[in-house]
Amino acid sequence: MDLIVSTDVLAAFCERAAKFDFVTVDTEFLRETTYWPKLCLVQVATDDEAVLIDPLVPGFDLSPFYDLLANAAVTKVFHAARQDIEIFVKATGQVPENIYDTQVAASVCGFGDSVSYDNLVRAITNVELDKSSRFTDWSARPLSEKQRLYAVADVTHLRDIYRELAKQVTATRRGDWVEDEMAILRSVDTYVTQPDQAWERLKMKISRPRDLAALKLLAAWREQRAQDSDQPRSRVLKDDVLSELATQRPLTADAFERLRAVPRGFGRSSAAAEIMALLKDVEAMGKAELPVMPERYRGPSPKGAVGDLVRVLLKSVAEQHGVAARIIATSDEIDALVLDDQAEVPALKGWRRKLFGDKALAIKHGRIGLVATRKGIVEFAIKDHEDTAAAE
């Protein structure tokens, strides 16, 4: 396989690639010590050619490749596309046009949730891949022959996988399922975390408005600092430190030293000074400025009998349609829809709602029931559900 190290050669390849209906794409990158992934290698294949592109060559302009990604006439096929696309969004500000993720397609074709590339290659092409180079240092040069063979295999077998899955999706009429998932991957917001929204990804039990106000500001501060310094969030502050700072809100260096989660001496750092300034702002907030806490739910527990019934329904629906249950709904999504009929979860949107979500709500409100038969779980309508509801 060719290793492209100049813009002229890359431009010539991309001109040839633009004549095909699709190209397969993959990347190798490092991210252990950075916020942003460091692109180390790009692999691309057409029907009759496969190349490796070395982005670490000084002065190498990748614009011809980015133009290919922006060409809507060519389908860009990835497997588990999210991290690859994040790299390209960071470089260009745009999501590649006309993308297709074979991991998504495989999930709706019965290969299970988040199936790995090597398992998919084995299942579809009957080829056993050597994955021993997966965790090598892709920033080191020169690349070994073993690394090159590993890298190019990630796009050559992908051609056969794409063709086969596209056939299966068409045969099962699940194109709309795939499209729903692609809509998420096509949104720039999927790949860019805005600092003021960073708190939403934290799973912490916060019960007081002022604590929540502090958490929002602290999470935004950490996200911005991680992005600006290009280091992982956890190297700025770990999640448990954020939680303790939000609830204890230390305003002096000595107060920092009394916290369990905060590293010794941190209270006298410049970062601590910025945090104390934020926390002072929180303390100065009037009640009207504080965020409104979600209303406490007083209905059935999602971990109780209602949740159990919905989970049985989910397993039944998954078996009927030959897909993994987690593709239709996660455990957290079931909890959410038991708590709220209007929950903002995938299980209550698109094809998932048609397949499962509406039935889950019907069970929750006593409109349908489940019965076990030799053929499996069968749903049945409860004709007197209105009387049942009136008696509650």
Side-chain angles (χ1 to χ4, degrees), residues 194-202 204 206 208-224 242-243 245-247 249 278-279 282 285 289-294:
Q194 300 298 336
D196 61 354
Q197 297 173 346
W199 71 277
E200 296 175 357
R201 65 194 308 274
L202 300 170
M204 298 178 182
I206 298 293
R208 297 179 297 183
R210 202 170 297 276
D211 294 351
L212 180 57
L215 181 65
K216 287 184 175 184
L217 288 178
L218 290 168
W221 173 87
R222 181 180 71 167
E223 195 73 22
Q224 191 66 63
L242 279 189
S243 178
L245 290 174
T247 55
R249 298 193 293 281
L278 291 175
L279 295 178
V282 172
M285 287 180 179
E289 300 176 90
L290 297 175
V292 177
M293 299 297 294

Side-chain angles (χ1 to χ4, degrees), residues 137-152:
D137 182 358
W138 290 99
S139 66
R141 293 296 184 270
L143 295 171
S144 68
E145 183 65 16
K146 190 174 182 181
Q147 283 179 306
R148 293 189 185 200
L149 290 173
Y150 166 89
V152 80

Side-chain angles (χ1 to χ4, degrees), residues 10-163:
L10 176 61
F13 166 75
C14 291
E15 185 177 351
R16 296 192 300 274
K19 298 175 182 178
F20 291 87
D21 291 335
F22 75 91
V23 295
T24 54
V25 184
D26 191 34
T27 66
E28 304 298 340
F29 57 89
L30 298 178
R31 197 176 197 166
E32 288 78 6
T33 61
T34 60
Y35 182 94
W36 308 106
K38 178 184 178 182
L39 181 61
C40 298
L41 192 68
V42 180
Q43 306 98 281
V44 188
T46 65
D47 260 348
D48 60 3
E49 186 176 6
V51 301
L52 306 178
I53 303 168
D54 188 352
L56 299 183
V57 174
F60 190 1
D61 183 2
L62 296 182
S63 294
F65 173 65
Y66 294 143
D67 290 342
L68 178 63
L69 292 181
N71 185 344
V74 181
T75 300
K76 271 66 68 174
V77 180
F78 298 84
H79 182 81
R82 190 168 299 224
Q83 292 194 81
D84 300 316
I85 293 176
E86 181 185 1
I87 293 171
F88 301 138
V89 169
K90 179 67 167 62
T92 68
Q94 297 178 330
V95 176
E97 291 287 340
N98 195 1
I99 58 175
Y100 193 95
D101 190 333
T102 56
Q103 188 176 70
V104 171
S107 71
V108 306
C109 289
F111 288 91
D113 175 45
S114 301
V115 61
S116 67
Y117 178 68
D118 48 322
N119 284 339
L120 205 52
V121 170
R122 185 184 305 114
I124 291 178
T125 70
N126 203 30
V127 172
E128 193 71 36
L129 294 180
D130 178 6
K131 303 297 285 184
S132 59
S133 296
R134 178 181 300 177
F135 299 113
T136 56
D137 182 358
W138 290 99
S139 66
R141 293 296 184 270
L143 295 171
S144 68
E145 183 65 16
K146 190 174 182 181
Q147 283 179 306
R148 293 189 185 200
L149 290 173
Y150 166 89
V152 80
D154 279 347
V155 287
T156 51
H157 297 296
L158 191 54
R159 297 176 296 202
D160 295 328
I161 288 171
Y162 169 64
R163 291 190 184 96

Side-chain angles (χ1 to χ4, degrees), residues 132-364:
S132 59
S133 296
R134 178 181 300 177
F135 299 113
T136 56
D137 182 358
W138 290 99
S139 66
R141 293 296 184 270
L143 295 171
S144 68
E145 183 65 16
K146 190 174 182 181
Q147 283 179 306
R148 293 189 185 200
L149 290 173
Y150 166 89
V152 80
D154 279 347
V155 287
T156 51
H157 297 296
L158 191 54
R159 297 176 296 202
D160 295 328
I161 288 171
Y162 169 64
R163 291 190 184 96
E164 176 59 28
L165 290 176
K167 287 180 184 177
Q168 291 190 28
V169 169
T170 300
T172 56
R173 299 181 180 181
R174 293 179 178 177
D176 57 332
W177 296 20
V178 176
E179 280 302 304
D180 278 357
E181 302 308 297
M182 289 296 102
I184 297 171
L185 293 176
R186 291 177 186 134
S187 171
V188 171
D189 294 340
T190 300
Y191 310 98
V192 180
T193 300
Q194 300 298 336
D196 61 354
Q197 297 173 346
W199 71 277
E200 296 175 357
R201 65 194 308 274
L202 300 170
K203 294 185 177 181
M204 298 178 182
K205 292 184 178 180
I206 298 293
S207 58
R208 297 179 297 183
R210 202 170 297 276
D211 294 351
L212 180 57
L215 181 65
K216 287 184 175 184
L217 288 178
L218 290 168
W221 173 87
R222 181 180 71 167
E223 195 73 22
Q224 191 66 63
R225 194 177 180 93
Q227 292 180 4
D228 292 345
S229 60
D230 193 19
Q231 58 181 322
R233 298 180 188 93
S234 61
R235 289 201 176 187
V236 178
L237 280 180
K238 296 184 184 301
D239 286 357
D240 60 337
V241 177
L242 279 189
S243 178
E244 189 169 17
L245 290 174
T247 55
Q248 299 301 316
R249 298 193 293 281
L251 299 180
T252 66
D254 289 340
F256 267 89
E257 296 301 317
R258 291 193 290 271
L259 302 181
R260 291 184 301 173
V262 177
R264 189 66 59 189
F266 180 80
R268 304 188 187 282
S269 67
S270 60
E274 294 178 19
I275 290 171
M276 283 187 277
L278 291 175
L279 295 178
K280 287 177 182 177
D281 289 342
V282 172
E283 294 299 337
M285 287 180 179
K287 286 187 177 181
E289 300 176 90
L290 297 175
V292 177
M293 299 297 294
E295 185 176 344
R296 187 176 179 183
Y297 177 74
R298 301 184 184 280
S301 167
K303 301 300 184 184
V306 175
D308 290 343
L309 277 175
V310 175
R311 286 174 170 80
V312 171
L313 171 69
L314 174 61
K315 187 172 182 180
S316 173
V317 169
E319 289 176 351
Q320 289 172 28
H321 294 273
V323 296
R326 195 177 184 281
I327 296 165
I328 303 172
T330 66
S331 182
D332 286 346
E333 288 169 20
I334 290 176
D335 289 351
L337 69 84
V338 170
L339 296 175
D340 181 5
D341 287 5
Q342 307 300 323
E344 284 293 320
V345 294
L348 292 179
K349 297 177 182 178
W351 65 269
R352 290 179 174 86
R353 179 160 193 146
K354 296 177 184 176
L355 201 71
F356 165 74
D358 284 335
K359 293 178 181 178
L361 294 178
I363 279 186
K364 173 182 171 182

